[in-house]
Amino acid sequence: MEDRSNIRVVVGMSGGVDSSVTALLLKQQGYDVVGIFMKNWDDTDEFGVCTATQDYEDVARVCNQLDIPYYSVNFESKYWDKVFQYFLDEYKAGRTPNPDVMCNKEIKFKAFLDHAVGLGADYLATGHYAQVREKDGQVEMLRGVDDNKDQTYFLNQISKDILPKIMFPLGGLAKREVREIAEEHDLATASKKDSTGICFIGERNFKEFLSEYLPAQPGEMQTLSGEVKGRHDGLMYYTIGQRQGLGIGGSGDPWFVVGKNLTDNVLYVEQGFHHEALYSDELLAVDVNWLVDRDLTQPLKCTAKFRYRQKDSGVTVHVNEDGTANVKFDEPQRAITPGQAVVFYEGDVCLGGGTIDEVYREQQPLSHLG
């Protein structure tokens, strides 16, 4: 086996099983491994308990088991400026943002990578389920082999220039195998449950959390023809295609959110999972980031995901002169949500992605419903 002891890999460690196994695998492969815990949010609860402290203790336990050095770095102010402020601004604008995408772009694969390089790192490794490979002199990002865990959707905004410095040791493994490896080696985090939801909200009630930062403005819930069906608690609490929490009784099909009118503070609802107002045939993407070199002067035929864990759909991407992209769907798509990511693929290769800015049906923008 080649001597890798002079190749330093900094591992972003969260205190979870995925990053713990990432560090273990790299150590086994002979690299000079350093574990770093990022503190991005002050999440002290009303009892004075901070889950970040517990997570850091888990990082320390695993690193001691593996006999590797570990440190903590604080990005709270950067995270607030780059991720949380974006999160609030998007909700204010009536959209449904994806803070994980922005955190990967601005914190994990920018601020944290810079920090790692400052520590003499040759590579940055994380526990994401994705893969990198070199092909024809170009480094590409591929989906993780575990379809259910593939995280390339959340990584679409990272810069292609950094791909040669990134390692994803779990990309070729299924989640089940990762747990088994952790158990075999008796890692302190082997049975720790996966964290879910948005990092800075944790287990708290989303509505309550958001209301602490943005004043809610209740208003009318109407059908597209103007029939009042009830009251909403504030447009920011609802997303396109949402069924739960509308409080509309009566017989017949369930009701769904089909649109928002920010000017008049109206939430539009219609009956039926397949109501035509939920379907669109095109979107406009902004902040489009490409991870590969392609001739973008021609329409690009590829597949796309409009939300995490969704099956790929065929699309044609027309890149505009200003860098935005019109994405036409092969088949009409349901409940496409402004603020979310659209991510492009060619087979297993992630081509890049952007933020959904507007959705269209027959060239009419759906934000102008009603």
Side-chain angles (χ1 to χ4, degrees):
M1 187 170 109
E2 64 180 292
D3 180 19
R4 295 172 173 157
S5 61
N6 61 345
I7 302 173
R8 174 165 289 182
V9 185
V10 165
V11 180
M13 297 187 71
S14 64
V17 68
D18 291 333
S19 56
S20 301
V21 171
T22 296
L24 166 71
L25 294 175
L26 292 166
K27 170 88 175 179
Q28 286 179 335
Q29 289 160 21
Y31 291 104
D32 171 19
V33 182
V34 177
I36 296 195
F37 176 77
M38 275 180 288
K39 188 166 192 300
N40 294 333
W41 187 259
D42 180 5
D43 59 353
T44 307
D45 67 16
E46 64 270 35
F47 306 110
V49 175
C50 177
T51 58
T53 306
Q54 295 161 358
D55 289 336
Y56 184 55
E57 285 167 1
D58 286 334
V59 168
R61 276 198 280 272
V62 169
C63 290
N64 285 329
Q65 280 182 287
L66 299 178
D67 192 25
I68 60 173
Y70 60 92
Y71 308 95
S72 175
V73 59
N74 191 312
F75 287 130
E76 281 180 47
S77 63
K78 204 164 238 147
Y79 190 90
W80 181 283
D81 294 344
K82 299 287 191 181
V83 181
F84 190 62
Q85 203 53 59
Y86 154 82
F87 170 84
L88 293 181
D89 291 345
E90 286 288 275
Y91 271 109
K92 254 186 240 173
R95 291 143 63 107
T96 305
N98 201 316
D100 289 330
V101 171
M102 194 56 72
C103 179
N104 285 328
K105 176 185 179 178
E106 296 290 347
I107 308 296
K108 290 179 183 166
F109 295 92
K110 191 181 276 182
F112 186 54
L113 177 63
D114 290 346
H115 184 81
V117 169
L119 291 173
D122 297 291
Y123 294 95
L124 171 67
T126 67
H128 285 95
Y129 288 80
Q131 303 181 85
V132 285
R133 74 163 179 209
E134 190 173 340
K135 189 183 178 191
D136 303 329
Q138 191 179 152
V139 180
E140 301 174 322
M141 181 166 71
L142 281 70
R143 304 179 210 248
V145 297
D146 186 335
D147 279 349
N148 201 41
K149 289 296 292 182
D150 166 51
Q151 287 170 303
T152 51
Y153 180 86
F154 299 111
L155 296 165
N156 78 84
Q157 287 288 314
I158 69 176
S159 164
K160 72 175 179 186
D161 298 340
I162 68 166
L163 286 177
K165 283 188 165 297
I166 303 299
M167 286 182 170
F168 296 124
L170 306 188
L173 298 171
K175 178 72 186 201
R176 175 184 47 78
E177 295 174 288
V178 171
R179 283 267 179 215
E180 285 168 4
I181 291 168
E183 283 160 11
E184 270 168 39
H185 291 83
D186 208 21
L187 291 183
T189 53
S191 57
K192 189 173 179 178
K193 74 179 177 70
D194 289 346
S195 59
T196 55
I198 298 166
C199 34
F200 44 78
I201 296 175
E203 303 296 318
R204 280 173 292 183
N205 176 300
F206 176 76
K207 228 177 194 178
E208 242 170 62
F209 176 84
L210 205 51
S211 69
E212 287 175 30
Y213 296 93
L214 296 177
Q217 292 178 293
E220 285 188 345
M221 220 184 272
Q222 297 180 6
T223 64
L224 294 173
S225 58
E227 184 189 344
V228 177
K229 299 306 296 182
R231 302 275 295 167
H232 67 76
D233 297 331
L235 294 179
M236 62 190 176
Y237 298 135
Y238 303 87
T239 188
I240 306 300
Q242 180 175 328
R243 174 184 172 180
Q244 303 298 326
L246 300 183
I248 306 174
S251 58
D253 290 339
W255 290 82
F256 294 88
V257 173
V258 299
K260 302 176 181 185
N261 181 330
L262 257 70
T263 312
D264 300 329
N265 194 26
V266 171
L267 185 73
Y268 293 116
V269 293
E270 287 292 348
Q271 240 174 332
F273 184 87
H274 289 299
H275 192 281
E276 67 163 5
L278 282 168
Y279 283 84
S280 55
D281 52 31
E282 185 178 349
L283 64 81
L284 174 69
V286 298
D287 300 324
V288 182
N289 176 59
W290 295 100
L291 291 166
V292 292
D293 294 322
R294 286 285 187 284
D295 175 12
L296 299 172
T297 58
Q298 300 298 314
L300 173 67
K301 288 285 293 173
C302 61
T303 64
K305 275 183 194 290
F306 310 104
R307 58 177 62 83
Y308 181 47
R309 287 205 175 120
Q310 177 195 42
K311 278 202 172 107
D312 284 47
S313 303
V315 296
T316 304
V317 184
H318 299 260
V319 179
N320 304 312
E321 280 184 18
D322 61 1
T324 61
N326 284 85
V327 183
K328 294 184 189 296
F329 316 149
D330 292 0
E331 303 280 337
Q333 297 294 316
R334 183 183 179 277
I336 302 287
T337 307
Q340 290 287 293
V342 54
V343 184
F344 308 118
Y345 296 89
E346 210 167 63
D348 280 336
V349 178
C350 181
L351 303 176
T355 303
I356 300 167
D357 191 60
E358 181 59 275
V359 183
Y360 303 89
R361 183 172 61 251
E362 294 169 3
Q363 300 183 327
Q364 293 302 308
L366 297 191
S367 65
H368 298 164
L369 280 172

